[in-house]
Amino acid sequence: MMVPVRNINLKNKEFLEIVNEYKDALMNIEDNGKPMVANNAPLSHEKDKPEDYLSDEYMNKIMDEGRMHSGFPVVLKGYGGLKWQDFEARTNPAKAPVMEATTILNSKLIQFLSCRNNALNACYPPGGFISWHNNANAPGYNLIASWSETGEGWFDYYDLDKRERVRVPDEKGWNCKMTYFGPYHEEDKLCYHAAYTDCYRITIAYVFAEANDFWEEVIEDLETEF
């Protein structure tokens, strides 16, 4: 059976302090009236239209590809693509503020969560999205945290057991969920998913080497106000 997508009621003050520092850095309004991230990272896939990559037809196309689908999203319309490191921040001083904020965030959260690695850092502008994909190329238990400026966005996944598309609407502020992205040899645990936003949205994701009881402990810690 497919592992359920678990919504987490974030209360842990230390976690929220870490992610809010990151959000504040990226969303800091600069002299031209734009948030820092918009001035220091390129906007990828600027001309791509969400209806071409978020429809049921496109979802079915990706699912029908089976193992021919790499697992990666074809399109991520946002600042930063899959990882800020991909944009040569080390050799381009203009991108240094984004890289610095992301490095600090990942260092703190990998230690705090005792997770294996960071999987995604991305910021979406209004109209930004990530196309249907399944992460079968990088399987594991994932924590996905998203900050939404106004709550005008969503995370969709396909429930293999119920055979239906499920929408998890964003709420204003931080949203958090955990699930398992299965590899192709665990066909019943594949998790096809996509996301869209009509406001600024930051998403960070982390992968765990351990699961089961440890996964439950992480969820309990995040839902406990310390």
Side-chain angles (χ1 to χ4, degrees), residues 7-46:
N7 280 322
I8 298 173
N9 182 16
L10 279 177
K11 293 182 179 180
N12 188 288
K13 291 182 178 179
E14 183 176 354
F15 179 87
L16 287 169
E17 181 178 342
I18 293 171
V19 295
N20 276 323
E21 286 178 356
Y22 185 60
K23 178 264 295 181
D24 291 343
L26 266 57
M27 290 293 108
N28 180 50
I29 301 299
E30 299 193 329
D31 292 341
N32 63 355
K34 295 181 180 181
M36 184 273 283
V37 66
N39 294 322
N40 293 277
L43 177 58
S44 58
H45 296 279
E46 183 174 3

Short mmCIF file of all heavy atoms in Angstrom, two decimals, residues 7-46:
data_model
loop_
_atom_site.label_atom_id
_atom_site.label_comp_id
_atom_site.label_asym_id
_atom_site.label_seq_id
_atom_site.Cartn_x
_atom_site.Cartn_y
_atom_site.Cartn_z
N ASN A 7 0.05 15.18 7.18
CA ASN A 7 0.15 16.59 7.51
C ASN A 7 0.66 16.74 8.94
O ASN A 7 0.22 16.02 9.84
CB ASN A 7 -1.21 17.27 7.38
CG ASN A 7 -1.56 17.60 5.96
OD1 ASN A 7 -0.70 17.99 5.18
ND2 ASN A 7 -2.83 17.45 5.61
N ILE A 8 1.57 17.68 9.14
CA ILE A 8 2.18 17.89 10.45
C ILE A 8 1.76 19.26 10.97
O ILE A 8 1.89 20.27 10.27
CB ILE A 8 3.71 17.80 10.36
CG1 ILE A 8 4.12 16.40 9.90
CG2 ILE A 8 4.36 18.12 11.70
CD1 ILE A 8 5.60 16.26 9.63
N ASN A 9 1.28 19.28 12.18
CA ASN A 9 0.89 20.52 12.84
C ASN A 9 2.13 21.10 13.52
O ASN A 9 2.44 20.77 14.66
CB ASN A 9 -0.23 20.25 13.86
CG ASN A 9 -0.71 21.52 14.53
OD1 ASN A 9 -0.45 22.63 14.07
ND2 ASN A 9 -1.41 21.37 15.65
N LEU A 10 2.83 21.96 12.82
CA LEU A 10 4.12 22.47 13.31
C LEU A 10 3.93 23.33 14.57
O LEU A 10 3.23 24.33 14.55
CB LEU A 10 4.79 23.31 12.23
CG LEU A 10 5.54 22.57 11.13
CD1 LEU A 10 6.08 23.57 10.12
CD2 LEU A 10 6.68 21.74 11.70
N LYS A 11 4.63 22.92 15.64
CA LYS A 11 4.62 23.69 16.89
C LYS A 11 6.01 23.87 17.46
O LYS A 11 6.21 24.72 18.33
CB LYS A 11 3.73 23.00 17.93
CG LYS A 11 2.25 22.97 17.60
CD LYS A 11 1.47 22.31 18.71
CE LYS A 11 -0.03 22.27 18.41
NZ LYS A 11 -0.79 21.61 19.51
N ASN A 12 6.97 23.07 17.00
CA ASN A 12 8.31 23.08 17.57
C ASN A 12 8.97 24.45 17.36
O ASN A 12 9.23 24.86 16.22
CB ASN A 12 9.16 21.98 16.94
CG ASN A 12 10.49 21.81 17.63
OD1 ASN A 12 11.37 22.65 17.49
ND2 ASN A 12 10.64 20.71 18.36
N LYS A 13 9.25 25.15 18.44
CA LYS A 13 9.76 26.52 18.35
C LYS A 13 11.13 26.59 17.72
O LYS A 13 11.43 27.52 16.97
CB LYS A 13 9.77 27.14 19.75
CG LYS A 13 8.39 27.40 20.33
CD LYS A 13 8.50 28.07 21.70
CE LYS A 13 7.11 28.37 22.26
NZ LYS A 13 7.21 29.01 23.61
N GLU A 14 12.00 25.62 18.02
CA GLU A 14 13.35 25.65 17.46
C GLU A 14 13.31 25.47 15.94
O GLU A 14 14.00 26.18 15.20
CB GLU A 14 14.21 24.56 18.10
CG GLU A 14 15.66 24.60 17.61
CD GLU A 14 16.55 23.58 18.32
OE1 GLU A 14 16.07 22.92 19.27
OE2 GLU A 14 17.71 23.45 17.92
N PHE A 15 12.49 24.52 15.48
CA PHE A 15 12.36 24.30 14.03
C PHE A 15 11.81 25.56 13.36
O PHE A 15 12.33 26.01 12.34
CB PHE A 15 11.44 23.11 13.77
CG PHE A 15 11.23 22.82 12.30
CD1 PHE A 15 12.11 21.99 11.62
CD2 PHE A 15 10.16 23.36 11.61
CE1 PHE A 15 11.93 21.72 10.26
CE2 PHE A 15 9.96 23.09 10.26
CZ PHE A 15 10.85 22.26 9.59
N LEU A 16 10.76 26.13 13.94
CA LEU A 16 10.14 27.32 13.35
C LEU A 16 11.10 28.50 13.35
O LEU A 16 11.10 29.31 12.41
CB LEU A 16 8.86 27.67 14.11
CG LEU A 16 7.67 26.73 13.86
CD1 LEU A 16 6.54 27.01 14.85
CD2 LEU A 16 7.17 26.87 12.42
N GLU A 17 11.93 28.62 14.37
CA GLU A 17 12.91 29.70 14.41
C GLU A 17 13.91 29.56 13.27
O GLU A 17 14.25 30.55 12.60
CB GLU A 17 13.64 29.69 15.75
CG GLU A 17 14.67 30.81 15.89
CD GLU A 17 15.35 30.80 17.25
OE1 GLU A 17 14.81 30.17 18.19
OE2 GLU A 17 16.42 31.43 17.37
N ILE A 18 14.36 28.33 13.01
CA ILE A 18 15.34 28.08 11.94
C ILE A 18 14.74 28.40 10.58
O ILE A 18 15.34 29.10 9.76
CB ILE A 18 15.82 26.62 11.99
CG1 ILE A 18 16.63 26.36 13.26
CG2 ILE A 18 16.68 26.31 10.76
CD1 ILE A 18 16.95 24.89 13.49
N VAL A 19 13.54 27.89 10.31
CA VAL A 19 12.95 28.09 8.98
C VAL A 19 12.48 29.53 8.78
O VAL A 19 12.50 30.04 7.65
CB VAL A 19 11.80 27.09 8.71
CG1 VAL A 19 12.34 25.67 8.66
CG2 VAL A 19 10.69 27.21 9.73
N ASN A 20 12.09 30.20 9.85
CA ASN A 20 11.68 31.60 9.71
C ASN A 20 12.87 32.51 9.42
O ASN A 20 12.73 33.51 8.71
CB ASN A 20 10.93 32.06 10.96
CG ASN A 20 9.46 31.70 10.93
OD1 ASN A 20 8.83 31.75 9.87
ND2 ASN A 20 8.91 31.34 12.08
N GLU A 21 14.03 32.17 9.96
CA GLU A 21 15.24 32.93 9.62
C GLU A 21 15.51 32.84 8.12
O GLU A 21 15.88 33.83 7.48
CB GLU A 21 16.44 32.39 10.40
CG GLU A 21 16.45 32.77 11.87
CD GLU A 21 17.63 32.18 12.61
OE1 GLU A 21 18.41 31.41 11.98
OE2 GLU A 21 17.80 32.48 13.80
N TYR A 22 15.32 31.65 7.57
CA TYR A 22 15.52 31.43 6.14
C TYR A 22 14.48 32.20 5.33
O TYR A 22 14.81 32.89 4.36
CB TYR A 22 15.42 29.94 5.86
CG TYR A 22 15.73 29.54 4.43
CD1 TYR A 22 16.97 29.82 3.86
CD2 TYR A 22 14.80 28.84 3.66
CE1 TYR A 22 17.26 29.43 2.56
CE2 TYR A 22 15.09 28.44 2.37
CZ TYR A 22 16.33 28.74 1.82
OH TYR A 22 16.62 28.35 0.54
N LYS A 23 13.24 32.08 5.74
CA LYS A 23 12.15 32.80 5.04
C LYS A 23 12.39 34.30 5.08
O LYS A 23 12.25 34.98 4.06
CB LYS A 23 10.81 32.44 5.69
CG LYS A 23 9.61 33.16 5.08
CD LYS A 23 9.21 34.41 5.85
CE LYS A 23 8.73 34.09 7.25
NZ LYS A 23 8.32 35.33 7.96
N ASP A 24 12.78 34.83 6.23
CA ASP A 24 13.00 36.27 6.35
C ASP A 24 14.15 36.73 5.44
O ASP A 24 14.09 37.82 4.87
CB ASP A 24 13.31 36.64 7.80
CG ASP A 24 12.09 36.49 8.71
OD1 ASP A 24 10.96 36.42 8.18
OD2 ASP A 24 12.28 36.44 9.94
N ALA A 25 15.18 35.90 5.33
CA ALA A 25 16.31 36.26 4.46
C ALA A 25 15.88 36.32 3.00
O ALA A 25 16.16 37.28 2.30
CB ALA A 25 17.44 35.26 4.65
N LEU A 26 15.18 35.28 2.54
CA LEU A 26 14.78 35.21 1.13
C LEU A 26 13.72 36.25 0.78
O LEU A 26 13.71 36.79 -0.33
CB LEU A 26 14.25 33.82 0.79
CG LEU A 26 15.27 32.83 0.21
CD1 LEU A 26 16.46 32.64 1.13
CD2 LEU A 26 14.63 31.49 -0.11
N MET A 27 12.83 36.56 1.72
CA MET A 27 11.72 37.45 1.43
C MET A 27 11.99 38.89 1.83
O MET A 27 11.12 39.75 1.70
CB MET A 27 10.46 36.96 2.17
CG MET A 27 9.87 35.68 1.62
SD MET A 27 9.21 35.88 -0.06
CE MET A 27 10.45 34.99 -1.00
N ASN A 28 13.21 39.18 2.29
CA ASN A 28 13.56 40.55 2.67
C ASN A 28 13.41 41.48 1.46
O ASN A 28 14.02 41.25 0.40
CB ASN A 28 15.00 40.61 3.18
CG ASN A 28 15.41 42.01 3.59
OD1 ASN A 28 14.71 42.69 4.34
ND2 ASN A 28 16.54 42.47 3.08
N ILE A 29 12.60 42.51 1.60
CA ILE A 29 12.34 43.43 0.49
C ILE A 29 13.51 44.39 0.33
O ILE A 29 13.93 45.06 1.28
CB ILE A 29 11.04 44.23 0.72
CG1 ILE A 29 9.85 43.27 0.87
CG2 ILE A 29 10.79 45.20 -0.44
CD1 ILE A 29 9.59 42.39 -0.34
N GLU A 30 14.05 44.45 -0.91
CA GLU A 30 15.19 45.30 -1.18
C GLU A 30 14.75 46.61 -1.82
O GLU A 30 13.56 46.87 -1.98
CB GLU A 30 16.19 44.53 -2.05
CG GLU A 30 16.69 43.27 -1.34
CD GLU A 30 17.89 42.63 -2.01
OE1 GLU A 30 18.02 42.73 -3.24
OE2 GLU A 30 18.71 42.03 -1.27
N ASP A 31 15.72 47.44 -2.17
CA ASP A 31 15.42 48.81 -2.62
C ASP A 31 14.50 48.87 -3.84
O ASP A 31 13.76 49.84 -4.01
CB ASP A 31 16.74 49.54 -2.94
CG ASP A 31 17.56 49.81 -1.69
OD1 ASP A 31 16.98 49.77 -0.59
OD2 ASP A 31 18.78 50.04 -1.81
N ASN A 32 14.56 47.85 -4.70
CA ASN A 32 13.71 47.87 -5.90
C ASN A 32 12.32 47.30 -5.64
O ASN A 32 11.54 47.11 -6.57
CB ASN A 32 14.37 47.10 -7.04
CG ASN A 32 14.56 45.61 -6.73
OD1 ASN A 32 14.27 45.17 -5.62
ND2 ASN A 32 15.06 44.87 -7.70
N GLY A 33 12.01 47.03 -4.37
CA GLY A 33 10.67 46.55 -4.01
C GLY A 33 10.47 45.07 -4.18
O GLY A 33 9.37 44.56 -3.94
N LYS A 34 11.52 44.34 -4.58
CA LYS A 34 11.42 42.90 -4.76
C LYS A 34 12.10 42.16 -3.61
O LYS A 34 13.03 42.69 -3.00
CB LYS A 34 12.07 42.49 -6.08
CG LYS A 34 11.38 43.02 -7.32
CD LYS A 34 12.08 42.53 -8.57
CE LYS A 34 11.40 43.04 -9.83
NZ LYS A 34 12.08 42.54 -11.06
N PRO A 35 11.66 40.94 -3.29
CA PRO A 35 12.34 40.17 -2.25
C PRO A 35 13.76 39.82 -2.69
O PRO A 35 14.05 39.71 -3.88
CB PRO A 35 11.47 38.93 -2.09
CG PRO A 35 10.69 38.82 -3.35
CD PRO A 35 10.50 40.23 -3.84
N MET A 36 14.64 39.63 -1.72
CA MET A 36 16.04 39.36 -1.99
C MET A 36 16.24 38.21 -2.96
O MET A 36 17.07 38.28 -3.87
CB MET A 36 16.77 39.06 -0.68
CG MET A 36 18.28 38.84 -0.83
SD MET A 36 18.76 37.13 -1.21
CE MET A 36 18.61 36.37 0.41
N VAL A 37 15.45 37.15 -2.82
CA VAL A 37 15.64 35.98 -3.67
C VAL A 37 15.41 36.31 -5.15
O VAL A 37 16.07 35.77 -6.03
CB VAL A 37 14.72 34.82 -3.22
CG1 VAL A 37 13.25 35.17 -3.42
CG2 VAL A 37 15.07 33.53 -3.94
N ALA A 38 14.49 37.23 -5.42
CA ALA A 38 14.21 37.59 -6.82
C ALA A 38 15.35 38.38 -7.45
O ALA A 38 15.50 38.40 -8.67
CB ALA A 38 12.92 38.40 -6.89
N ASN A 39 16.16 39.00 -6.61
CA ASN A 39 17.29 39.78 -7.11
C ASN A 39 18.58 38.97 -7.18
O ASN A 39 19.55 39.41 -7.80
CB ASN A 39 17.53 41.00 -6.21
CG ASN A 39 16.39 41.99 -6.27
OD1 ASN A 39 15.82 42.22 -7.33
ND2 ASN A 39 16.06 42.58 -5.14
N ASN A 40 18.60 37.81 -6.52
CA ASN A 40 19.84 37.06 -6.38
C ASN A 40 19.79 35.63 -6.90
O ASN A 40 20.72 34.86 -6.68
CB ASN A 40 20.27 37.05 -4.91
CG ASN A 40 20.67 38.43 -4.42
OD1 ASN A 40 21.80 38.86 -4.62
ND2 ASN A 40 19.74 39.13 -3.81
N ALA A 41 18.73 35.27 -7.57
CA ALA A 41 18.63 33.93 -8.17
C ALA A 41 17.82 34.03 -9.45
O ALA A 41 16.86 34.81 -9.52
CB ALA A 41 17.98 32.94 -7.20
N PRO A 42 18.19 33.28 -10.47
CA PRO A 42 17.44 33.35 -11.74
C PRO A 42 16.07 32.68 -11.63
O PRO A 42 15.89 31.77 -10.82
CB PRO A 42 18.34 32.58 -12.70
CG PRO A 42 19.07 31.61 -11.83
CD PRO A 42 19.30 32.32 -10.53
N LEU A 43 15.14 33.15 -12.42
CA LEU A 43 13.82 32.54 -12.49
C LEU A 43 13.83 31.51 -13.61
O LEU A 43 13.93 31.85 -14.79
CB LEU A 43 12.74 33.59 -12.75
CG LEU A 43 11.31 33.07 -12.91
CD1 LEU A 43 10.87 32.30 -11.68
CD2 LEU A 43 10.36 34.23 -13.20
N SER A 44 13.76 30.25 -13.24
CA SER A 44 13.81 29.18 -14.23
C SER A 44 12.44 28.95 -14.87
O SER A 44 11.40 29.15 -14.23
CB SER A 44 14.30 27.88 -13.59
OG SER A 44 13.46 27.50 -12.52
N HIS A 45 12.44 28.54 -16.13
CA HIS A 45 11.23 28.20 -16.87
C HIS A 45 10.19 29.32 -16.82
O HIS A 45 8.99 29.07 -16.63
CB HIS A 45 10.64 26.89 -16.34
CG HIS A 45 11.53 25.71 -16.55
ND1 HIS A 45 11.60 25.04 -17.74
CD2 HIS A 45 12.42 25.10 -15.72
CE1 HIS A 45 12.48 24.05 -17.65
NE2 HIS A 45 12.99 24.07 -16.44
N GLU A 46 10.64 30.53 -17.00
CA GLU A 46 9.77 31.70 -16.86
C GLU A 46 8.58 31.68 -17.82
O GLU A 46 7.49 32.13 -17.49
CB GLU A 46 10.60 32.97 -17.09
CG GLU A 46 9.82 34.25 -16.90
CD GLU A 46 10.70 35.49 -16.99
OE1 GLU A 46 11.91 35.34 -17.27
OE2 GLU A 46 10.18 36.59 -16.78
#
